[in-house]
Amino acid sequence: MAAKSLVQPLFDGPVDIVGDVHGELECLLQVLRHLGYNNLGIHPEGRRLVFLGDLTDRGPDSPGVVELVRSFVDAGYAQCVLGNHDLNILLGQEKLDNGWFFGKPFFHDRALVPQVLATDAIRQGVLDFFSRLPLALERADLRVVHACWQTEMVDLARPARATVDLYNRHADLIERDLQQRSDIDAVARELEHQNRNPVKVLTSGRERRAEAPFESSGKLRYEERVRWWENYEDVEFCFFGHYASPLGQPHGRGRALCIDYAVGKRWTERGQAAPGTAFKFKLAAARFPEKTLLFDDGSTAKLGP
């Protein structure tokens, strides 16, 4: 079943916005306990959960995370937007770190990274859930998107009902335009597809040509991310994920704040850290309207101005 709209109303009242989980089920359960939610996703004070997407990949139990979040959403206790990792699965694109979905073990430096692998039933359930997720959520004082709030792209997504259809329609339009041009190189073509497709912009942000190539996620990249939040001047607060940072301090600017603290990289720590060592990479939740951060280890920080 497709989403009612790819831009949906955000819950009224106090909310707790959870950053990119990336298969770290135990971290998510710890955050929920610290926030005061029970196993059904119910809060005694009537607060509700909002997830920023990228529920899967890298961590040990992507299916478990999807099943838990789906149960909260289906019961009306939570909302969730689609992330770029979730989009890759919807599009059937096999990447370095989503082999679990295709039933393939994940190896790093020839060492097996322990992960729950998907069965046919799990795959169907994940696809059904991701196909129903919006790309953005909004209300008068608050916006939620996985990677980038660009009003033009949000407006293109408003009348749409199916993410894959919207993605393919714009990909085809862009490619037809590019076929008429012989004056641009491969990097410029990639940037056209990234920056003109609303699904790409909302789930993975805007990009520009990098000054020099660099390696990321096992491939050589010629494009780098645009720090769009530095020019965000709207009055609405906007929370987003995607731009992982292990710094432990709110990153973003003014009223546009990223709450992805790189828990998706915790699998790299797990095989190296001594027993009892605190993890550097964390899962965070932002409490609104309080504007505070809570991490899976129970620590807190103040958000924004």
Side-chain angles (χ1 to χ4, degrees):
M1 181 185 299
K4 296 178 181 178
S5 170
L6 294 183
V7 181
Q8 294 183 8
L10 179 64
F11 287 142
D12 292 327
V15 292
D16 296 309
I17 303 166
V18 182
D20 309 29
V21 182
H22 281 301
E24 294 287 348
L25 179 59
E26 185 54 40
C27 291
L28 175 56
L29 294 174
Q30 290 172 353
V31 165
L32 295 178
R33 286 194 289 269
H34 291 310
L35 290 171
Y37 290 86
N38 68 14
N39 293 337
L40 299 176
I42 300 172
H43 196 279
E45 297 174 2
R47 305 182 68 91
R48 286 187 284 188
L49 291 160
V50 180
F51 291 88
L52 286 177
D54 275 9
L55 302 180
T56 67
D57 304 348
R58 302 177 181 169
D61 195 355
S62 291
V65 171
V66 173
E67 181 57 33
L68 183 66
V69 174
R70 179 172 60 177
S71 71
F72 295 167
V73 171
D74 288 350
Y77 302 134
Q79 292 177 294
C80 181
V81 295
L82 193 76
N84 59 302
H85 283 254
D86 315 320
L87 175 65
N88 289 338
I89 287 174
L90 265 186
L91 296 176
Q93 296 179 350
E94 189 170 344
K95 302 289 185 177
L96 176 69
D97 48 14
N98 69 2
W100 68 272
F101 182 79
F102 301 94
K104 299 179 180 180
F106 182 21
F107 288 91
H108 180 70
D109 290 339
R110 299 185 179 181
L112 177 66
V113 179
Q115 290 182 320
V116 176
L117 303 184
T119 63
D120 288 343
I122 288 174
R123 276 189 283 274
Q124 189 56 52
V126 170
L127 290 171
D128 171 73
F129 181 55
F130 287 173
S131 70
R132 294 188 279 122
L133 294 181
L135 295 173
L137 298 165
E138 60 181 355
R139 70 187 199 193
D141 61 341
L142 185 59
R143 296 166 168 174
V144 170
V145 69
H146 179 69
C148 176
W149 189 279
Q150 184 177 346
T151 299
E152 175 189 356
M153 297 301 172
V154 174
D155 288 344
L156 287 174
R158 288 186 193 282
R161 298 294 182 268
T163 296
V164 174
D165 289 348
L166 180 65
Y167 176 93
N168 287 335
R169 183 164 71 253
H170 283 272
D172 290 343
L173 287 171
I174 296 165
E175 188 58 35
R176 284 201 293 271
D177 287 348
L178 291 174
Q179 288 175 0
Q180 308 303 315
R181 301 179 61 183
S182 58
D183 59 327
I184 60 175
D185 61 14
V187 174
R189 295 178 68 88
E190 287 294 322
L191 289 172
E192 288 285 299
H193 277 287
Q194 180 67 37
N195 294 330
R196 290 175 54 191
N197 192 318
V199 179
K200 295 280 282 184
V201 171
L202 300 181
T203 61
S204 55
R206 297 177 56 240
E207 295 182 355
R208 63 189 175 195
R209 188 186 295 263
E211 292 185 3
F214 61 96
E215 186 175 346
S216 177
S217 298
K219 63 180 290 188
L220 196 63
R221 293 292 306 271
Y222 296 87
E223 308 88 22
E224 64 182 7
R225 293 168 171 176
V226 172
R227 298 168 67 88
W228 63 273
W229 54 88
E230 294 182 348
N231 298 309
Y232 180 86
E233 298 181 349
D234 296 349
V235 297
E236 298 89 348
F237 260 83
C238 181
F239 285 103
F240 58 100
H242 188 62
Y243 302 88
S245 169
L247 300 179
Q249 295 294 324
H251 55 302
R253 177 180 178 274
R255 291 179 297 276
L257 298 170
C258 178
I259 58 169
D260 179 5
Y261 290 88
V263 77
K265 298 180 180 178
R266 184 171 286 190
W267 64 271
T268 63
E269 291 186 283
R270 194 172 283 116
Q272 302 170 1
T277 302
F279 288 111
K280 176 174 64 173
F281 302 120
K282 300 178 181 180
L283 178 63
R287 313 207 83 177
F288 193 87
E290 296 86 350
K291 301 175 189 173
T292 57
L293 273 179
L294 186 146
F295 296 96
D296 60 281
D297 62 4
S299 61
T300 60
K302 185 66 179 174
L303 268 174

